[in-house]
Amino acid sequence: MADLNYYTILGITQSATEAEIKKAYRKLARKYHPDLNPNDQEAQRKFQEINEANEVLSNPDNRKKYDQYGKDWKHAEEFEKAGYNPNQQRSESRQSSQSSKSYSDFSEADFSDLFSSMYGSAGKRTQAKFRGQDYNAELQLDLKSAYTTHKQSLTVNDKNIRITIPAGVENGQVIKIPNHGGPGANGGPNGDLYITFSIPNDSQFKREGANLYANVDLDLYTALLGGEIQVPTFDGAVKVKVAESTQNNTKVKLKGKGFPKYKQENEFGDLYITYQIKLPKNLSAEEKKAIQKLSKLKKNG
Amino acid sequence: MANSNLILIKQFCVLHDIEQNFITELNNYGLIEIVSEENEEFLLHEQLPHIEKMMRLHYDLQVNFEGIDVIANLLEKIDCLQHDLIRSHNKLRLYENENS
């Protein structure tokens, strides 16, 4: 956490009474509480700041030390033993632009202080169990990997976990891995881990949910006379019959040839193909003659 | 307990150091479901994260039951909107790729 003034964080003056501190803390906690701001990292950071400020200012002894020593209030006794000038120390620490404590620097003791400060306000649940913090992580997958259910190992907060990724997971989708978040306090359960999937699509298919879309080139003669072509799908090529006189941009649905449906075993979306008719180029004299003959036939009706 | 998916309310309240009346009120507001079996009342296991969240709102943030009800509905709406947003983003990407 950056070296912020705890009074500023709570939006109060240095002469604020205990009641004013409590009121300001509660108002801000209601605004930034993680339960009310799901997946909002900024709110979570702000909530940590508010808790830290409240932890210090709501305790008269800690507040006194903070007023004297600023961000280094926890070392008040050491400073006093070493004969530091409190007033000089205070002005230096308040003006310092160096960060004092980042979120990741929090020790277990700090967290339990935070929790106890919250429970202090609750009054009744002094020894209640507290669920650990939820963690958020992002996992990048390619579309091919998202096509099949597979296991993957990942490291979250220095812990290796192996998770099963169900086929059909979507870009931006969030899945919850219970119990893999931060540790609980007072024997409470661990928090959960939320994984957001990022699935860039560099394949020839466009994806919308479980349906896939692709353009397929069709030569003029097959479009005119009909026939059979090979169409690529995500699961290999399939044979598709082309009707006579197929027009450009004709769409055909290949049922069940799309992407797997999330958590629906053996259920697949559809593949929609759009024919792009390709006209022949560099016609030979003989081909031109044949086409002219065809054109005359058509004109003569 | 015959069903491992059920949690005895009395036990839950003792473990969390809360009054049983809190659970009764959540039930009165239609925020949770209470299962009665053989003269005992139980909570469903899958409701626990939801109940714990409401406990935090009530005991830590002093939100009353009407407030919890409003928050629960709004959070549900946010969840739906977030899903819609992701779907729309993915759809938009489909058309952006088509035009690029």
Side-chain angles (χ1 to χ4, degrees), chain B residues 29-81:
Chain B
Y29 276 85
L31 290 162
I32 55 163
E33 193 188 326
I34 289 179
V35 178
S36 296
E37 261 184 29
E38 296 167 5
N39 294 328
E40 293 278 17
E41 290 187 321
F42 299 90
L43 296 169
L44 294 166
H45 189 264
E46 57 264 28
Q47 291 187 121
L48 283 191
H50 187 51
I51 296 171
E52 283 170 349
K53 185 186 280 187
M54 292 190 282
M55 275 167 50
R56 290 193 291 273
L57 293 175
H58 185 66
Y59 290 104
D60 301 338
L61 300 181
Q62 285 72 47
V63 179
N64 63 16
F65 291 97
E66 288 84 354
I68 293 174
D69 195 12
V70 171
I71 288 167
N73 287 327
L74 288 176
L75 285 176
E76 208 173 300
K77 271 190 186 170
I78 289 175
D79 200 36
C80 287
L81 288 172

Side-chain angles (χ1 to χ4, degrees), chain A residues 93-295:
Chain A
S93 64
R94 287 284 171 85
Q95 285 162 17
S96 165
S97 61
Q98 286 179 332
S99 65
S100 64
K101 196 171 207 178
S102 71
Y103 169 61
S104 57
D105 288 338
F106 266 64
S107 67
E108 277 179 30
D110 291 330
F111 272 117
S112 60
D113 282 351
L114 289 185
F115 295 137
S116 61
S117 81
M118 290 199 68
Y119 283 123
S121 68
K124 289 166 188 169
R125 297 189 303 143
T126 46
Q127 283 303 310
K129 295 177 178 190
F130 198 93
R131 189 173 162 274
Q133 217 191 358
D134 289 338
Y135 289 160
N136 290 289
E138 190 179 287
L139 184 63
Q140 191 155 351
L141 284 184
D142 56 31
L143 200 60
K144 204 174 171 186
S145 308
Y147 187 80
T148 48
T149 298
H150 64 283
K151 287 187 185 295
Q152 196 159 326
S153 297
L154 58 151
T155 309
V156 179
N157 277 30
D158 298 328
K159 266 190 201 165
N160 279 325
I161 59 165
R162 197 161 167 78
I163 59 166
T164 301
I165 301 171
V169 67
E170 282 221 50
N171 181 48
Q173 189 173 335
V174 181
I175 64 167
K176 182 172 93 172
I177 314 289
N179 219 24
H180 281 84
N186 296 333
N190 292 347
D192 299 327
L193 168 64
Y194 289 88
I195 299 175
T196 306
F197 288 93
S198 167
I199 309 174
N201 182 359
D202 50 6
S203 76
Q204 66 184 110
F205 302 99
K206 282 163 188 168
R207 181 185 180 197
E208 192 191 337
N211 291 333
L212 294 176
Y213 300 82
N215 288 330
V216 170
D217 289 348
L218 193 62
D219 70 88
L220 177 68
Y221 307 108
T222 311
L224 287 171
L225 304 171
E228 205 172 65
I229 58 164
Q230 292 272 343
V231 171
T233 72
F234 224 91
D235 198 21
V238 292
K239 281 181 185 171
V240 175
K241 280 189 177 163
V242 181
E244 270 183 29
S245 304
T246 293
Q247 302 296 309
N248 193 36
N249 286 326
T250 297
K251 282 187 169 59
V252 173
K253 181 169 96 172
L254 304 184
K255 202 168 163 53
K257 291 292 174 189
F259 221 68
K261 290 185 179 173
Y262 184 70
K263 286 198 171 173
Q264 295 179 44
E265 220 176 316
N266 297 323
E267 291 275 329
F268 289 79
D270 303 320
L271 168 63
Y272 291 85
I273 55 170
T274 305
Y275 289 129
Q276 302 291 310
I277 296 173
K278 297 291 167 192
L279 297 177
K281 286 177 183 170
N282 306 320
L283 294 174
S284 66
E286 205 177 341
E287 281 173 326
K288 273 185 189 170
K289 227 183 237 178
I291 290 170
Q292 278 163 356
K293 198 174 166 185
L294 186 67
S295 172

Side-chain angles (χ1 to χ4, degrees), chain A residues 61-97:
Chain A
D61 287 341
N62 289 346
R63 184 180 177 184
K64 202 174 157 190
K65 287 176 190 167
Y66 177 74
D67 286 344
Q68 279 184 312
Y69 298 102
K71 74 179 175 70
D72 298 317
W73 65 273
K74 279 188 177 170
H75 305 291
E77 281 178 28
E78 293 160 41
F79 288 145
E80 278 160 16
K81 274 183 199 163
Y84 276 25
N85 179 341
N87 290 329
Q88 190 188 341
Q89 181 67 26
R90 178 185 160 192
S91 66
E92 278 171 6
S93 64
R94 287 284 171 85
Q95 285 162 17
S96 165
S97 61

